């Protein structure tokens, strides 16, 4: 409850345990991917869980990707489809509950999993993640109007890139959150350095620059972020 900052159980549970799934929503429903290509739908009015139509399936059976959304569409990007990572983007149409590939060339700049995301009114930002034997600190920006994806800066080769400090540490599985002015990336992990991460990075949506914000009380990974505007 954002008004009271209290947590309660709505009384409904998913039929199976979910881990590292895609989540998108509009004002009426939330959509959570099952283990596999299908989805479950959460009705925000009744807190009930149901299965949408058979068309609501990912074009590839994958997990650990990033997701952004606006009122009309949800976008599901990248992830792991054993034994490889993918860079493709699927679009969920909230009005028909069907999934298709956007008509333009909407692909991430790198195949990766463990992507974390944030979003403004105009853009979705899909950040970080891991590739075989390496981690990313790039940010791909999806334009909600044109559905074009552009890489915003070069891939850093170390934990910090002073030439283009768009994102100050390479990591995966951070939590993404946002308000009207800023996005936030919190926690995550980088096993190259054998460490989980506690730092929180702020992205200014006006300037599209990032800076250190604060630290979580504990280092943690596979972080779940919740936003309310």
């Amino acid at each position: 409850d954002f008004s009271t900052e209290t947590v309660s159980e709505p009384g409904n549970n998913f039929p199976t345990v979910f881990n590292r799934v895609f989540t998108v929503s509009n004002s009426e429903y939330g959509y959570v991917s099952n283990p596999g290509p299908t989805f479950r739908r959460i009705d925000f009015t009744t807190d009930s869980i149901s299965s949408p139509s058979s068309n609501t399936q990912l074009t590839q059976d994958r997990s650990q990707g990033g997701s952004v959304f606006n009122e009309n569409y949800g976008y599901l990007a990248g992830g792991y489809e054993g034994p490889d990572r993918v860079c493709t983007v699927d679009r969920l149409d909230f009005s028909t509950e069907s999934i298709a590939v956007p008509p333009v060339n909407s692909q991430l700049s790198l195949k990766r999993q463990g992507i974390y995301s944030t979003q403004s009114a105009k853009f979705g930002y899909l950040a970080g993640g891991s590739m075989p034997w390496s981690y990313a600190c790039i940010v791909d920006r999806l334009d909600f109007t044109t559905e074009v994806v552009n890489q915003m800066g070069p891939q850093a080769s170390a934990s910090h890139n002073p030439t283009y400090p768009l994102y100050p540490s390479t990591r995966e599985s951070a939590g993404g959150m946002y308000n009207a002015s800023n996005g936030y990336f919190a926690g995550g992990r980088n096993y190259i350095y054998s460490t989980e991460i506690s730092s929180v990075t702020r992205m200014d949506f006006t300037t599209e620059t990032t800076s250190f914000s604060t630290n979580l009380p504990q280092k943690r990974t596979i972080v779940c972020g919740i936003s309310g505007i």
Side-chain angles (χ1 to χ4, degrees):
D1 188 314
F2 287 126
S3 62
T4 63
E5 294 188 335
T6 56
V7 178
S8 60
E9 294 185 14
N12 297 296
N13 295 313
F14 291 106
T16 56
V17 176
F18 291 176
N19 183 27
R20 301 183 181 183
V21 295
F22 290 100
T23 58
V24 293
S25 67
N26 61 9
S27 58
E28 297 179 283
Y29 301 108
Y31 296 86
V32 181
S33 62
N34 286 308
T38 59
F39 278 74
R40 295 284 177 171
R41 177 181 58 209
I42 304 172
D43 188 313
F44 291 141
T45 302
T46 63
D47 285 336
S48 59
I49 298 170
S50 59
S51 297
S53 69
S54 59
N55 291 328
T56 314
Q57 293 194 28
L58 295 170
T59 59
Q60 294 173 283
D61 185 357
R62 51 185 158 144
S63 62
Q64 305 182 47
S67 52
V68 293
F69 54 90
N70 59 21
E71 185 62 24
N72 299 314
Y73 300 108
Y75 298 89
L76 315 153
Y80 177 78
E81 183 190 25
D84 198 8
R85 283 81 170 168
V86 298
C87 63
T88 54
V89 177
D90 287 346
R91 182 184 66 195
L92 169 60
D93 187 320
F94 292 134
S95 63
T96 62
E97 295 190 327
S98 59
I99 291 180
V101 176
V104 297
N105 186 25
S106 303
Q107 292 195 349
L108 301 180
S109 56
L110 292 172
K111 296 180 179 180
R112 59 195 199 270
Q113 68 183 77
I115 300 166
Y116 38 94
S117 55
T118 190
Q119 61 192 63
S120 66
K122 296 181 179 180
F123 302 107
Y125 301 91
L126 301 145
S130 65
M131 297 86 70
W133 312 110
S134 63
Y135 286 76
C137 69
I138 61 170
V139 178
D140 287 330
R141 184 182 67 191
L142 187 150
D143 188 314
F144 288 137
T145 302
T146 64
E147 297 186 328
V148 172
V149 178
N150 290 307
Q151 181 179 327
M152 296 180 63
Q155 159 71 356
S157 60
S159 61
H160 182 68
N161 181 358
T163 304
Y164 194 89
L166 180 63
Y167 191 61
S169 60
T170 55
R171 58 177 123 180
E172 68 167 356
S173 301
M177 296 153 286
Y178 59 92
N179 58 25
S181 303
N182 301 300
Y184 298 89
F185 303 128
R189 65 182 174 188
N190 187 325
Y191 283 165
I192 294 176
Y193 301 105
S194 301
T195 184
E196 296 176 344
I197 297 167
S198 64
S199 63
V200 179
T201 297
R202 177 197 305 111
M203 168 179 277
D204 186 309
F205 290 143
T206 302
T207 62
E208 292 188 325
T209 56
T210 63
S211 58
F212 173 77
S213 174
T214 186
N215 282 302
L216 298 174
Q218 294 175 312
K219 294 181 178 181
R220 64 185 77 178
T221 187
I222 315 179
V223 179
C224 177
I226 301 174
S227 303
I229 297 179

